[in-house]
């Protein structure tokens, strides 16, 4: 089975902190994605990566950055956390081509 | 600008009856569509998909219908079961560059199946 693992299920951080969310997949997928889920807004794409060291902005990249140094690992970085970044963060991976994505279990981040 | 829309935030049906979840999209370049199911505090799980060259795909109790001229797709669940109660997300695939696809999601529909 494909496994996408996010490092934390729940996180509480203070405003202004630098926050790292880690995601690892074990299926040698080319593509990796970071989404956030908010009530009434669905899943919105923050960043995605189609290869090591390659990254592209999604629909809501402001306040975030990403890193992909190895194929299996995709990190989301909140440079200076703010309360409006309180959300459920979901990592996903997929093969290239026309295919669906497999999701991790999510990280519930609360910024206080 | 919401490219994938699910206009019904919630739906309630009786066990054993049909559930119909709807989704509309605006981008005619979308060529692959998917439905995901999400329970609280878990990541979404893939349910069923359909390519734009088809108008129907069936997998057990789940059937997805695609009407390209109307830019509309729907998910039918027959018969509905209490375990189907979850949030359902519609997603559309847009190509980026060569073969890479990114998924654009709708806002979700909360399905409640009453025993």
């Amino acid at each position: 089975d494909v496994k996408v693992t996010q490092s934390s299920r729940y996180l509480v951080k203070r405003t202004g902190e630098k926050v790292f969310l880690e995601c690892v997949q074990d299926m040698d997928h080319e593509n990796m994605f970071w989404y956030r889920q908010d009530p009434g807004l669905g899943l919105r794409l923050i960043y995605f990566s189609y290869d090591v060291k390659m990254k592209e902005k999604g629909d809501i990249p402001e306040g975030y950055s990403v890193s992909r140094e190895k194929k299996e690992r995709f990190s989301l970085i909140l440079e200076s956390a703010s309360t409006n970044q309180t959300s459920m963060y979901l990592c996903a991976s997929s093969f290239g081509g026309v295919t669906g994505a497999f999701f991790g279990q999510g990280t519930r981040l609360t910024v206080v | 600008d919401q490219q994938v829309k699910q206009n019904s935030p919630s739906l309630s049906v009786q066990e054993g009856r049909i559930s119909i979840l709807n989704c509309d999209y605006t981008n005619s370049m979308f060529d692959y569509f998917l439905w995901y199911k999400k329970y609280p505090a878990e990541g979404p799980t893939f349910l069923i998909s359909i390519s734009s060259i088809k108008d129907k795909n069936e997998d057990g109790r789940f059937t997805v219908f695609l009407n390209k001229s109307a830019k509309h797709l729907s998910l039918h669940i027959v018969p509905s079961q209490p375990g189907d109660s979850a949030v359902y997300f519609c997603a559309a695939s847009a190509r980026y560059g060569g073969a890479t696809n990114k998924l654009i999601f709708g806002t979700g529909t909360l399905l409640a199946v009453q025993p």
Side-chain angles (χ1 to χ4, degrees), chain B residues 7-18:
Chain B
N7 292 318
S8 298
S10 62
L11 175 68
S12 181
V13 299
Q14 289 294 120
E15 181 177 4
R17 307 294 288 270
I18 184 171

Side-chain angles (χ1 to χ4, degrees), chain B residues 84-100:
Chain B
D84 295 330
S85 298
V87 177
Y88 288 79
F89 288 100
C90 169
S93 180
R95 290 190 180 274
Y96 175 83
T100 299

Side-chain angles (χ1 to χ4, degrees), chain B residues 1-73:
Chain B
D1 181 30
Q2 192 77 25
Q3 297 185 67
V4 178
K5 301 176 185 177
Q6 294 175 256
N7 292 318
S8 298
S10 62
L11 175 68
S12 181
V13 299
Q14 289 294 120
E15 181 177 4
R17 307 294 288 270
I18 184 171
S19 296
I20 301 176
L21 296 98
N22 294 303
C23 178
D24 297 293
Y25 62 95
T26 58
N27 189 340
S28 58
M29 297 302 290
F30 289 145
D31 55 5
Y32 193 66
F33 303 88
L34 308 93
W35 284 94
Y36 281 81
K37 176 180 178 180
K38 186 180 183 301
Y39 294 116
E42 293 184 13
T45 55
F46 170 75
L47 199 56
I48 192 169
S49 63
I50 188 166
S51 165
S52 60
I53 62 173
K54 295 186 174 182
D55 56 16
K56 178 182 175 181
N57 188 28
E58 193 171 354
D59 183 2
R61 297 186 297 114
F62 303 92
T63 303
V64 56
F65 296 91
L66 176 63
N67 182 335
K68 282 189 296 182
S69 62
K71 294 191 177 68
H72 177 83
L73 65 156

